[in-house]
Amino acid sequence: MRLFLFFVLLCCKLTSVFGQDHLEAKMKSYDLSKPYANLFVHFDKNVYSNNETIWFTGYLLKSNLQSGYTPHVMSVALIRAIDSSVVMQKKYIMDKGIALGSMLLPDSIQTGNYYLAASTDIITNGKPITLFVQPVTLKTNIDPKFKANMKLMDVSKKETNVHQILIAVTSKEGLFLPKPTSISYRYGNSYKNAKTDVSGQLLISIPKQDQLVDPNIYVKLKYEKDSTFINMPLPQPKAKASVKFYPEGGNMIVGLPTKIAWEVKDQQNRPMALKAFLLKGNEVIDTIETSSYGIGKFQMVAENNHAYTVKLVHSDLADSVYVLPKAIDKGLAMNMANAVVQDTLKLTLTSNATRKFAIRIHNFRESFLYIPFDMEYNKRAIKIPLTEVPKGLVTLTISDSLDRPMAERMFFAHYDPSEKIGITTDQTTYKQREKVTLKLDLKDIEEQAIVSIACVQDNRLELKKMTDIESYSYLSQELGTLPLHRNGYGFADQEYLEQVLLIKGWRKYTWQDLQAANPKDTVQQHLSLLKISGRVLKNKKELNTVTTIGMFGNNTTNLVNTNIKGHFDLNTSDLLTESEKKLYLFANEKNKLPYTILVNDEFISTNEKIAQNLAHENTVIPSGLINTTELLLKNNEKATRLKEILVTAKNDDRFNYGVGPNPCGDYVCSYNILNCPNHSGDPRNTRPVKGFSYLTAGVKLVYPGCDEPSSTFFNINPLYLHKEFYINDYKEPQEPAFFSTLYWNYATLLKASTPTELNFYTSDITGKFRIVVQGVSDKGVIYSQKIFEVKGN
């Protein structure tokens, strides 16, 4: 007869009956001794091109930071993946856990794979306390000065121990280049430099290397002042797969039925879908398999004095056998039919050992339920209400009377994949340059929310690089790298979550660390704030008197006093300036020439460390970019660029075409609009002239001028205010409108049962567009998306 033990909310009274829960106090101490803050950044897309603006909103989701350590600055760095170079970095205000910002990509930026790394101004033990990394791809709308491609060549039977790769370089018209191209390449532990021959070709012979985690060959090509990168994965010899087994609860136990999850990855850490044989000794007892996520499960009862192995069936793998963990004689077996549940958790316990246990539901930082009990029978089915348990990932641990863990399993409480935000458009199909009316309806299950909104060309959201706030906050932030979901939105797929929770656990925490927690270790002494400081030298020597430095470039001129040796610290308020503007320091002395100002921006050195760590921490996925034209935008996604012509006239900026913005960051587009958001980085932009009138927001205004700093002014990275997104109705028919981001809104307040209506326009780009809405609500985080299509007129 199957019995059910139903624990009601009176379980907290059971604690006092069966004994004090001393681990609860240790969890609180452990939590305070391990400060954390979770940051998520919503970027409008993950595929950009030169001259485009990256729009983003940062959300501080969770934090246990003590007072005095509230983040006030969010830093964003653009890091090139191939060489870990920090290409751009900027800082933005974070207020009440939200940061708004944008970055304009320069015309000359190289194409390829990059990371956008966001962190705050709080560090612990020299590292950012929170780090969010978004992989992105940069393309270009400019025809490259030269084209390059590479291909793998067939080798003779005598040279089977080498790879031969042919690299060919031509002009953009497909002609021979008059000079050789410099080439440097890296494969495994080999680094070499070479040059192309007179026909623009280079044949590379590389010895094969076994057991490579990264099978790609990376090639940098440089011709005169222009350079680019290409890469290609090379064939690898058959190698063993990485196979791991995860008995549910933690152990296989002799004589007790156990569910065993298993995971298979190749040498490059990619999941593998395959079949295998389960063997007891030399006898095949079952055929098992993994899904497309490389995860599978099977049930078995281990017998004493028998070894169990798995033999993979896959032609691309080296023939090998993998041994299952040895079964223990006595213990507790756990069977959780579903680990993704709503309000009630069901599980079955089977024991051939002691019958006095305690059930604890916790997250290693806080204990939510503690239920000691006697197990009267060898098998018991249990239901636990989760009223006191928060939404998200938690762990169920069953321990003995000495608080030693006997079985453990992670599960997701209060799972609800239903739509939190209704997104509707007035049409499903639009024409070019047509008005779109968007309505957002926050469902009644939420009371209010703050969300950021993006509407972008669908192919600018690369599937393998998609990150949503729900999957990140509830899953990735706690579990680390997860298998790539088939549509990029794993949180909404309950079966996917069930598979992941079979093999993932609390990797950040251990019972040993918890037991060692000391109530005295609750002061977060190892936290500090990143600073921007500097010192002033006179004639390259240290000062011996107080001086004053000024700041030029923002709306006001701030003055800061140094100490007697010339050292100074800058506050957040001192560095505020408008987006894309420059900020300079100067010695506030009548004769400025003898003075030099040296700045120590700790954000810069921190971003350099982040870049180097990313090179070691990120999983390498074999990918090919064998032709430089693959990162060139299609013709129907870009305007025709006119040939750049430089016309100059002495002492007259009115004819200084092609020079871009002035030192203040101001420019005029070909339609006489000052700082036109549609033509940032356009080579036809000119510098505005003091006293001339230009259009600004539809009104003609006189430009007040820009005083160009002299050599006595020293550049400093400012703290940027956010720039508003410009909604264009494209009324000028001759003006090209190839914009992949149709709409961006940093932060909009939504209220339940009160629809919010927004308007924007389609551009000249046709095809599918995706609306993404995500942010924070009074009950957690929310995400929703919708697709519509734009057809040609």
Side-chain angles (χ1 to χ4, degrees), residues 489-664:
Y489 182 30
F491 182 78
D493 187 342
Q494 185 169 348
E495 176 55 32
Y496 169 81
L497 296 185
E498 290 283 2
Q499 292 189 49
V500 167
L501 292 180
L502 284 170
I503 64 168
K504 289 288 186 178
W506 288 89
R507 300 290 184 257
K508 296 180 183 177
Y509 313 110
T510 67
W511 280 96
Q512 290 86 348
D513 289 343
L514 178 61
Q515 294 283 8
N518 190 330
K520 296 180 181 179
D521 298 332
T522 57
V523 180
Q524 299 172 346
Q525 296 176 339
H526 43 288
L527 291 179
S528 58
L529 295 171
L530 291 174
K531 297 189 302 182
I532 300 175
S533 58
R535 62 191 180 117
V536 180
L537 303 178
K538 185 176 182 181
N539 295 320
K540 300 183 180 180
K541 295 181 180 180
E542 187 176 82
L543 297 183
N544 55 14
T545 184
V546 173
T547 189
T548 303
I549 60 170
M551 289 181 223
F552 166 79
N554 47 19
N555 294 328
T556 60
T557 300
N558 297 324
L559 298 177
V560 176
N561 290 327
T562 70
N563 65 13
I564 196 169
K565 292 187 177 182
H567 294 266
F568 61 89
D569 292 321
L570 297 177
N571 298 319
T572 301
S573 57
D574 298 327
L575 299 168
L576 285 178
T577 189
E578 296 177 16
S579 179
E580 306 302 334
K581 298 291 185 179
K582 293 183 179 181
L583 188 64
Y584 298 90
L585 301 179
F586 61 91
N588 191 33
E589 302 288 342
K590 187 173 182 179
N591 181 12
K592 297 180 174 58
L593 287 176
Y595 292 90
T596 302
I597 302 177
L598 304 177
V599 177
N600 178 28
D601 188 338
E602 293 182 350
F603 289 91
I604 294 176
S605 56
T606 299
N607 285 330
E608 292 289 347
K609 293 178 183 177
I610 290 172
Q612 295 305 315
N613 289 335
L614 283 177
H616 301 290
E617 295 174 1
N618 279 275
T619 301
V620 175
I621 299 176
S623 59
L625 175 62
I626 60 175
N627 195 311
T628 53
T629 58
E630 292 181 34
L631 292 179
L632 182 64
L633 291 181
K634 298 176 182 178
N635 288 333
N636 62 350
E637 297 178 355
K638 62 179 181 178
T640 302
R641 291 175 67 101
L642 300 179
K643 191 177 236 183
E644 296 180 20
I645 301 175
L646 182 65
V647 182
T648 59
K650 236 179 186 180
N651 301 322
D652 195 344
D653 277 347
R654 288 173 295 177
F655 303 102
N656 197 1
Y657 290 93
V659 294
N662 61 21
C664 297

Side-chain angles (χ1 to χ4, degrees), residues 183 208 237 283 449 480:
I183 291 177
K208 292 182 178 179
E283 178 190 359

Side-chain angles (χ1 to χ4, degrees), residues 109-317:
I109 196 165
Q110 292 179 341
T111 58
N113 291 316
Y114 288 75
Y115 300 110
L116 284 165
S119 58
T120 68
D121 53 339
I122 299 183
I123 59 173
T124 174
N125 297 321
K127 296 181 179 179
I129 194 168
T130 183
L131 175 65
F132 178 84
V133 179
Q134 173 64 62
V136 295
T137 302
L138 296 192
K139 296 188 173 184
T140 183
N141 58 15
I142 305 173
D143 289 329
K145 298 291 179 65
F146 64 89
K147 295 189 294 185
N149 64 75
M150 62 178 170
K151 64 179 180 178
L152 185 66
M153 306 295 289
D154 294 328
V155 296
S156 65
K157 294 182 179 179
K158 295 181 181 179
E159 298 178 313
T160 54
N161 62 335
V162 298
H163 295 295
Q164 286 194 337
I165 301 100
L166 179 65
I167 300 176
V169 185
T170 66
S171 69
K172 61 182 178 181
E173 294 84 9
L175 304 175
F176 290 152
L177 293 170
K179 298 178 182 178
T181 302
S182 298
I183 291 177
S184 54
Y185 61 90
R186 169 171 59 89
Y187 176 66
N189 55 13
S190 298
Y191 299 83
K192 290 191 177 180
N193 298 312
K195 289 189 176 183
T196 57
D197 58 21
V198 292
S199 62
Q201 294 186 337
L202 175 66
L203 183 64
I204 299 174
S205 292
I206 302 178
K208 292 182 178 179
Q209 300 180 34
D210 295 337
Q211 308 298 319
L212 284 181
V213 175
D214 184 358
N216 291 290
I217 177 174
Y218 297 96
V219 179
K220 179 180 180 179
L221 306 101
K222 185 174 183 180
Y223 183 76
E224 295 183 339
K225 294 182 179 181
D226 296 295
S227 60
T228 189
F229 297 90
I230 53 178
N231 63 278
M232 176 175 67
L234 299 183
Q236 299 297 298
K238 288 185 179 182
K240 290 184 179 181
S242 169
V243 179
K244 296 180 181 179
F245 300 99
Y246 303 89
E248 186 172 24
N251 291 299
M252 292 170 55
I253 301 150
V254 173
L256 299 185
T258 306
K259 178 167 56 181
I260 300 173
W262 66 305
E263 181 185 27
V264 183
K265 294 182 179 180
D266 66 9
Q267 195 72 20
Q268 283 73 48
N269 222 26
R270 294 174 298 185
M272 299 190 71
L274 47 71
K275 293 182 181 294
F277 297 121
L278 176 63
L279 296 93
K280 181 175 70 173
N282 295 322
E283 178 190 359
V284 177
I285 59 174
D286 200 357
T287 301
I288 58 179
E289 62 182 10
T290 58
S291 68
S292 60
Y293 303 119
I295 303 170
K297 63 181 178 180
F298 56 92
Q299 192 97 6
M300 65 172 288
V301 178
E303 299 178 12
N304 204 3
N305 299 323
H306 283 283
Y308 295 88
T309 57
V310 166
K311 183 177 176 62
L312 304 183
V313 181
H314 200 288
S315 58
D316 293 337
L317 295 174

Side-chain angles (χ1 to χ4, degrees), residues 678-728:
N678 295 340
H679 297 100
S680 298
D682 193 310
R684 295 171 294 174
N685 291 345
T686 61
R687 293 185 175 187
V689 180
K690 184 177 181 179
F692 278 60
S693 296
Y694 303 101
L695 287 171
T696 302
V699 179
K700 272 197 171 185
L701 296 175
V702 176
Y703 183 66
C706 170
D707 296 322
E708 185 167 351
S710 66
S711 59
T712 57
F713 286 77
F714 301 88
N715 191 22
I716 184 173
N717 291 330
L719 182 64
Y720 287 111
L721 299 167
H722 72 280
K723 177 177 69 174
E724 291 299 328
F725 181 85
Y726 178 72
I727 300 176
N728 199 331

Side-chain angles (χ1 to χ4, degrees), residues 420-422 438-449 451 748-758:
K420 311 297 189 305
I421 306 174
L438 171 67
K439 287 187 179 180
L440 304 178
D441 184 14
L442 186 66
K443 303 302 182 182
D444 290 336
I445 54 177
E446 309 280 348
E447 293 183 8
Q448 61 181 12
V451 297
T748 293
L749 178 64
L750 304 181
K751 293 186 177 180
S753 304
T754 306
T756 299
E757 184 173 302
L758 304 164

Side-chain angles (χ1 to χ4, degrees), residues 304-585:
N304 204 3
N305 299 323
H306 283 283
Y308 295 88
T309 57
V310 166
K311 183 177 176 62
L312 304 183
V313 181
H314 200 288
S315 58
D316 293 337
L317 295 174
D319 193 19
S320 54
V321 174
Y322 302 86
V323 181
L324 270 70
K326 185 178 179 180
I328 61 176
D329 293 331
K330 300 291 183 180
L332 179 73
M334 177 193 303
N335 188 335
M336 193 180 290
N338 294 298
V340 182
V341 298
Q342 294 183 352
D343 302 322
T344 303
L345 178 68
K346 300 178 182 179
L347 66 150
T348 301
L349 302 179
T350 310
S351 174
N352 63 4
T354 178
R355 295 181 180 177
K356 288 184 179 292
F357 302 107
I359 294 178
R360 182 188 302 278
I361 296 179
H362 63 98
N363 62 4
F364 281 92
R365 292 181 175 271
E366 184 177 357
S367 182
F368 307 110
L369 290 176
Y370 177 62
I371 314 163
F373 74 102
D374 285 335
M375 191 163 162
E376 300 174 0
Y377 302 92
N378 290 337
K379 187 175 183 179
R380 180 59 63 97
I382 300 173
K383 291 197 298 183
I384 304 175
L386 303 175
T387 310
E388 300 297 311
V389 178
K391 179 179 179 178
L393 291 173
V394 288
T395 296
L396 181 142
T397 302
I398 300 178
S399 55
D400 62 13
S401 58
L402 299 177
D403 282 325
R404 295 176 300 190
M406 298 191 67
E408 194 165 83
R409 179 79 149 92
M410 180 181 284
F411 68 95
F412 196 105
H414 305 293
Y415 177 71
D416 180 14
S418 63
E419 187 179 69
K420 311 297 189 305
I421 306 174
I423 303 178
T424 57
T425 52
D426 55 334
Q427 301 178 70
T428 57
T429 304
Y430 295 88
K431 296 179 180 178
Q432 293 165 305
R433 305 194 181 200
E434 187 174 4
K435 185 178 180 180
V436 178
T437 299
L438 171 67
K439 287 187 179 180
L440 304 178
D441 184 14
L442 186 66
K443 303 302 182 182
D444 290 336
I445 54 177
E446 309 280 348
E447 293 183 8
Q448 61 181 12
I450 295 177
V451 297
S452 43
I453 307 161
C455 180
V456 302
Q457 189 180 359
D458 193 49
N459 65 8
R460 293 299 194 94
L461 289 167
E462 196 173 337
L463 178 64
K464 66 181 180 181
K465 295 179 179 176
M466 284 183 63
T467 310
D468 67 272
I469 196 169
E470 285 185 313
S471 299
Y472 180 81
S473 175
Y474 289 125
L475 302 176
S476 302
Q477 184 64 24
E478 304 292 352
L479 302 176
T481 304
L482 301 177
L484 177 66
H485 189 262
R486 60 177 62 92
N487 67 10
Y489 182 30
F491 182 78
D493 187 342
Q494 185 169 348
E495 176 55 32
Y496 169 81
L497 296 185
E498 290 283 2
Q499 292 189 49
V500 167
L501 292 180
L502 284 170
I503 64 168
K504 289 288 186 178
W506 288 89
R507 300 290 184 257
K508 296 180 183 177
Y509 313 110
T510 67
W511 280 96
Q512 290 86 348
D513 289 343
L514 178 61
Q515 294 283 8
N518 190 330
K520 296 180 181 179
D521 298 332
T522 57
V523 180
Q524 299 172 346
Q525 296 176 339
H526 43 288
L527 291 179
S528 58
L529 295 171
L530 291 174
K531 297 189 302 182
I532 300 175
S533 58
R535 62 191 180 117
V536 180
L537 303 178
K538 185 176 182 181
N539 295 320
K540 300 183 180 180
K541 295 181 180 180
E542 187 176 82
L543 297 183
N544 55 14
T545 184
V546 173
T547 189
T548 303
I549 60 170
M551 289 181 223
F552 166 79
N554 47 19
N555 294 328
T556 60
T557 300
N558 297 324
L559 298 177
V560 176
N561 290 327
T562 70
N563 65 13
I564 196 169
K565 292 187 177 182
H567 294 266
F568 61 89
D569 292 321
L570 297 177
N571 298 319
T572 301
S573 57
D574 298 327
L575 299 168
L576 285 178
T577 189
E578 296 177 16
S579 179
E580 306 302 334
K581 298 291 185 179
K582 293 183 179 181
L583 188 64
Y584 298 90
L585 301 179

